[in-house]
Amino acid sequence: MTTTAMGEARAALSGARRVAVLTGAGISAESGVPTFRGAGGLWRRFSALDLATPEAWADDPGLVWEFYDYRRRVMADKAPNAGHQALAAFEARLAEAGRPFTLVTQNVDGLHEVAGSSRVVHLHGSLWRVRCVGCGRESENRDVPITPAYEGAGDPGADVVGRGFGPEDLPRCGCGGVVRPAVVWFGESLRDEDLRAAFTAAAECDALLVVGTSAVVYPAAGLVPHAKRGGAVVIEVNLEETPATAWVDHHLTGPSGEVLPELLAP
Ligand SMILES: [Zn+2]
């Protein structure tokens, strides 16, 4: 990252009335949050691709819950980093100035809220919400373990054989239906209201900040051109160049925990 790039990006942000931000796995990885995607990211012998699917749920909901219960448990010692905090402080400053701000995230860990961000669009749902497969009701749920039966479960070791949770062990809604994690699984559609909020923010913003996501996978791949067409300046913060780097207005290379505090400082 050059000082010039940083200065130009700062100038673009301060000249923008409406700001939108899209964050992805990169910003949470700096807090040590595992995604269970890619090399080395396994839980037992599974990757997220094996368990974060409607097929896995249909096959063994008890195992899927054991995986998510583990992911929720892991969050206990994870904290927002300087990047999350810089975004929250930036949002507060813009709010004081009456400048609209929308934070759209692909992350399900909730660290933006822990850092103090208040307007967050969760494109991929949240680890901390559940949805009833019977009545469809969605609610916040912070129980760890998710039910008493899961106490002490979730060992991620490669050779662990699952305990085999049955229907009686699963978390349930008031209506009696089983609840599932309210996250968007592979093969599922993003929720219309979240997509609409994200695309509206991209269309209306004067500056779009893309942090820790490669911007080639939907919906990021759609949001960035959408913002450009609407006349926004696009600033990318990533550890490395991405396929979008060639045509964003400003690319800042580095960990978001280092780049964002400088970029978003008053
Ligand atoms: Zn229900």
Side-chain angles (χ1 to χ4, degrees):
M1 171 178 53
T2 62
T3 4
T4 324
M6 175 58 82
E8 286 173 354
R10 279 180 57 83
L13 272 181
S14 67
R17 195 177 115 70
R18 291 173 178 268
V19 178
V21 181
L22 173 66
T23 66
I27 191 167
S28 288
E30 289 171 36
S31 283
V33 178
T35 60
F36 302 99
R37 298 172 79 163
L42 294 183
W43 179 81
R44 296 183 185 161
R45 61 185 193 283
F46 306 105
S47 75
L49 270 168
D50 301 319
L51 293 176
T53 67
E55 291 76 18
W57 174 260
D59 187 46
D60 190 349
L63 178 67
V64 171
W65 256 122
E66 196 179 1
F67 173 59
Y68 278 93
D69 187 61
Y70 174 74
R71 294 182 66 173
R72 289 155 62 107
R73 199 179 301 252
V74 156
M75 291 309 297
D77 66 350
K78 303 289 181 281
N81 60 62
H84 295 104
Q85 283 154 1
L87 283 169
F90 185 58
E91 176 181 0
R93 229 169 51 245
L94 293 193
E96 258 176 44
R99 290 161 67 192
F101 176 88
T102 306
L103 174 56
V104 180
T105 187
Q106 296 169 276
N107 301 335
V108 296
D109 51 54
L111 287 181
H112 283 302
E113 284 91 341
V114 178
S117 289
S118 54
R119 282 206 54 202
V120 185
V121 178
H122 282 276
L123 279 180
H124 292 167
S126 167
L127 281 180
W128 305 108
R129 296 185 68 78
V130 296
R131 187 167 71 247
C132 176
V133 299
C135 70
R137 197 175 82 89
E138 200 180 298
S139 58
E140 183 174 301
N141 178 307
R142 299 255 161 199
D143 299 339
V144 179
I146 183 68
T147 66
Y150 281 82
E151 183 70 56
D155 187 328
D159 47 5
V160 174
V161 177
R163 214 186 260 183
F165 290 99
E168 69 283 3
D169 301 318
L170 298 174
R172 291 192 182 261
C173 172
C175 82
V178 172
V179 299
R180 56 164 275 181
V183 297
V184 179
W185 286 333
F186 295 101
E188 293 185 320
S189 303
L190 277 60
R191 294 206 311 186
D192 283 344
E193 60 179 285
D194 296 329
L195 268 182
R196 229 182 349 261
F199 275 88
T200 300
E204 291 180 347
C205 72
D206 305 304
L208 173 66
L209 182 56
V210 181
V211 183
T213 175
S214 63
V216 286
V217 179
Y218 184 82
L223 284 172
V224 176
H226 199 60
K228 286 289 279 181
R229 277 197 299 277
V233 173
V234 179
I235 302 164
E236 177 181 55
V237 176
N238 208 294
L239 281 177
E240 53 196 10
E241 297 203 341
T242 74
T245 302
W247 51 272
V248 299
D249 298 282
H250 308 282
H251 170 85
L252 303 173
T253 306
S256 46
E258 289 173 20
V259 175
L260 290 180
E262 187 179 351
L263 176 65
L264 304 177

